[in-house]
Amino acid sequence: MKRAARHLLGYPHPRRVPRGVYAGQAIGISTDEFARAKDSGVNFLRNVFPLLDLGWDQARCLEYLVERGFGQTVKSACVGCPFHGNAGWRWISDHDPDG
């Protein structure tokens, strides 16, 4: 993500990103997982957390999706996340074998 942000800003490594130039990165962390909301660790990339700003937990996110006809949306997660349960690994195996 950092490499892509640098590229989009026009300052690929090893060029220095000037002070005050940054990209905003929206991350979908809900109130259930607020402890995961962290700074990016670099000055040119600023994390924002719209679900936290809205005060939405996972249940509200699901309600929102159902209200708009997207009730079958699968929970997002990185493919290699070690916190997948058996159902998560089964879904990946069945629906994204290349992943």
Side-chain angles (χ1 to χ4, degrees), residues 54-75:
L54 291 168
W56 285 15
D57 60 7
Q58 185 178 13
R60 178 60 187 118
C61 293
L62 291 173
E63 288 172 12
Y64 180 85
L65 292 171
V66 168
E67 290 166 2
R68 284 155 181 78
F70 298 102
Q72 299 301 315
T73 302
V74 179
K75 182 180 177 190

Side-chain angles (χ1 to χ4, degrees), residues 34-80:
F34 71 92
R36 293 182 54 220
K38 308 265 191 257
D39 290 334
S40 70
V42 293
N43 290 332
F44 62 86
L45 189 57
R46 296 192 183 160
N47 293 343
V48 295
F49 304 95
L51 298 176
L52 293 179
D53 294 342
L54 291 168
W56 285 15
D57 60 7
Q58 185 178 13
R60 178 60 187 118
C61 293
L62 291 173
E63 288 172 12
Y64 180 85
L65 292 171
V66 168
E67 290 166 2
R68 284 155 181 78
F70 298 102
Q72 299 301 315
T73 302
V74 179
K75 182 180 177 190
S76 65
C78 297
V79 172

